[in-house]
Amino acid sequence: KRMVYDSLHGEYVELTDDDIHLIRSIQGNGFPDASFDPYPDQEEIYKWEDSIHPMWNKDEPKSRFVPSKWERRRVVKLIQAMRSESYQKSVEAQRLRREAQRPDYNYAIWDETLEDLTREQRRMQRR
């Protein structure tokens, strides 16, 4: 039998197969009720059958497709900067700085000391 201690009521409770199925579906990011439909059929807000004109009839402006002269110059400057050696060094320095600032999450979650963990578990924590 599967017995679980209910700390709210202070007693042991036996879990049924339905309870176990419900717990496993929730742990697997599923819905508690199997008959729940997460994607119901949607209703159309706008009815197209009775319309003779489209909702939007405006042409796309040419400026959305052609970059401006200033954007083109800015892109050229950025490409030149990226190809330079100083940019590559600054990117590497930023990456090293971010790694140094990253918090160290190298601790046991379930009240275990690191010595109690197996070698494989310690290796997984370092990642």
Side-chain angles (χ1 to χ4, degrees):
K1 299 293 178 184
R2 302 175 192 119
M3 301 295 286
V4 176
Y5 182 72
D6 183 9
S7 61
L8 182 64
H9 298 101
E11 59 185 20
Y12 283 93
V13 179
E14 181 180 342
L15 296 177
T16 63
D17 289 336
D18 293 335
D19 295 335
I20 298 296
H21 179 69
L22 176 69
I23 291 169
R24 289 206 176 131
S25 79
I26 292 173
Q27 283 178 339
N29 293 333
F31 293 100
D33 187 12
S35 65
F36 179 75
D37 183 16
Y39 306 107
D41 294 334
Q42 295 183 351
E43 296 181 19
E44 289 285 332
I45 296 173
Y46 185 79
K47 305 293 183 201
W48 293 94
E49 295 87 33
D50 58 349
S51 64
I52 58 173
H53 298 291
M55 289 179 67
W56 301 280
N57 196 18
K58 191 174 179 183
D59 292 336
E60 291 288 325
K62 186 178 178 184
S63 62
R64 289 194 187 157
F65 301 104
V66 179
S68 70
K69 175 172 61 172
W70 307 109
E71 288 174 336
R72 193 176 315 123
R73 288 181 181 174
R74 181 71 181 144
V75 168
V76 168
K77 275 190 164 184
L78 287 172
I79 290 173
Q80 289 173 349
M82 285 182 188
R83 288 181 179 165
S84 72
E85 191 174 322
S86 63
Y87 178 81
Q88 301 295 332
K89 288 179 182 177
S90 68
V91 168
E92 183 66 22
Q94 286 176 1
R95 187 184 63 80
L96 292 174
R97 203 175 316 122
R98 273 195 308 266
E99 285 181 4
Q101 290 174 351
R102 185 182 308 154
D104 184 23
Y105 293 116
N106 200 10
Y107 54 87
I109 297 175
W110 305 112
D111 294 332
E112 299 171 343
T113 62
L114 287 176
E115 290 78 31
D116 295 344
L117 299 176
T118 63
R119 197 169 126 206
E120 177 67 20
Q121 289 171 331
R122 275 187 252 132
R123 187 182 68 77
M124 292 301 288
Q125 279 189 346
R126 278 187 249 128
R127 283 187 174 183

